Amino acid sequence: MLFKSDTTVRYRLGVSMLLLLALAACHSDKPANNTVSLQQPGVKYTVYEGETGRRKSVLLADSTVVILNSASVLQVPENYGKGGRAVILDGDAFFRVKPGTDSFSVTTDKLVATVLGTSFKMRSFSSQQGATVYLLTGKIRVGKSYHSATDNQPEILERGHMILANKEIDLMEKETYHPEELEAWVSDTLRIKDATPMALSRTLEEWFGIEVDIRGDASKARTITEAVFFNAPLEDVLSNLSAQQDFKYKIDRNKVVLTF
């Protein structure tokens, strides 16, 4: 996870994350276009879909790079770059935005992020109530994409800042995290250390944008002391770790079942 280890911050984030996880629904079995209502009327869109357990790189017309995670859907309008740079996301993606005179925006069913030129990671599945934004470089303005009865003020983020949001309880909080962990995600260097089965499942969900279901008795499973993977797809990671923790696994679209 991309959170600071400081005790006070960890407590605040822990409470917020528990709210997010408790109220989040499961992923749908496959990428689906659940954000049609966010499209501009009369405009055609090119739709990019992430592959299960793998990342997909998308190069936009202005040289902005998008790393699309599993079961994620990116919608790019045909008029992108012609007086505006606005895309729609349903899922998990990293954006390295090319500086330009027009602002770049990403809209989901919960949040909208607006920048000129920066890099950030945004996670917002329409099938879940929770959403996050992590800023890596530059500055970004993040606000709710829906009208709130309590607070519609956006937040300005700088490096090391993040947003935790939950639409069902109308939550949007500005917090901090370790940027080095997002840099590791961008470089696709997965490092797992001192991980129990539960910690492993959370790491895999965050890294690959999947849902992990643990079955059987995992209480006696060995803790993974340390494992490092470079540019490894989900199948390779699970194959290696299953031998270390003695579990069987099954990948079914965007869901992974670990059986101990």
Side-chain angles (χ1 to χ4, degrees):
M1 305 295 284
L2 304 174
F3 302 144
K4 287 184 68 175
S5 59
D6 176 80
T7 303
T8 302
V9 175
R10 186 171 64 242
Y11 174 77
R12 289 189 287 112
L13 286 174
V15 173
S16 298
M17 186 53 67
L18 284 174
L19 290 172
L20 292 176
L21 294 176
L23 294 172
C26 296
H27 290 294
S28 56
D29 288 338
K30 62 180 179 179
N33 188 353
N34 295 320
T35 51
V36 175
S37 62
L38 300 175
Q39 294 181 356
Q40 302 174 50
V43 176
K44 294 182 179 180
Y45 284 75
T46 300
V47 178
Y48 300 92
E49 297 184 359
E51 302 175 42
T52 299
R54 295 177 182 271
R55 298 177 183 181
K56 182 173 187 175
S57 183
V58 178
L59 181 64
L60 301 184
D62 62 342
S63 296
T64 288
V65 176
V66 183
I67 301 176
L68 201 58
N69 212 350
S70 288
S72 300
V73 177
L74 179 72
Q75 301 173 63
V76 182
E78 61 181 357
N79 59 2
Y80 178 88
K82 300 175 183 178
R85 298 188 295 167
V87 299
I88 300 171
L89 175 68
D90 184 0
D92 186 27
F94 177 83
F95 298 85
R96 184 176 289 112
V97 181
K98 186 75 172 180
T101 55
D102 293 324
S103 62
F104 176 91
S105 67
V106 182
T107 301
T108 75
D109 68 321
K110 304 172 192 68
L111 298 172
V112 56
T114 307
V115 302
L116 285 177
T118 186
S119 58
F120 64 98
K121 186 171 182 285
M122 192 170 192
R123 182 188 182 109
S124 182
F125 287 91
S126 61
S127 59
Q128 298 182 344
Q129 294 297 333
T132 55
V133 177
Y134 300 91
L135 182 68
L136 187 58
T137 62
K139 290 185 179 182
I140 188 173
R141 183 175 73 246
V142 181
K144 298 173 182 176
S145 59
Y146 61 94
H147 178 73
S148 169
T150 59
D151 182 15
N152 290 289
Q153 292 300 312
E155 294 280 1
I156 303 298
L157 308 187
E158 297 184 355
R159 177 177 169 84
H161 290 160
M162 65 171 292
I163 287 292
L164 282 169
N166 188 295
K167 189 174 183 179
E168 185 166 321
I169 58 175
D170 200 16
L171 166 77
M172 192 182 84
E173 293 185 352
K174 180 179 178 179
E175 299 287 0
T176 59
Y177 80 103
H178 284 304
E180 296 79 12
E181 297 187 23
L182 181 50
E183 289 171 341
W185 189 93
V186 175
S187 68
D188 209 351
T189 304
L190 173 58
R191 187 180 301 274
I192 300 172
K193 188 174 182 179
D194 299 329
T196 62
M198 186 59 68
L200 173 63
S201 68
R202 290 196 299 266
T203 297
L204 294 177
E205 287 181 334
E206 176 74 23
W207 196 266
F208 292 105
I210 57 172
E211 177 193 354
V212 178
D213 182 15
I214 295 179
R215 299 179 182 177
D217 184 7
S219 62
K220 297 181 180 179
R222 295 185 297 274
T223 297
I224 299 174
T225 305
E226 186 169 17
V228 182
F229 301 91
F230 301 98
N231 305 115
L234 177 62
E235 176 74 37
D236 292 353
V237 173
L238 289 174
S239 177
N240 182 285
L241 296 181
S242 63
Q244 294 190 45
Q245 285 198 324
D246 193 25
F247 62 77
K248 295 181 180 180
Y249 65 89
K250 180 180 179 181
I251 303 174
D252 184 9
R253 294 181 178 176
N254 202 49
K255 182 176 181 179
V256 173
V257 177
L258 306 183
T259 304
F260 290 85

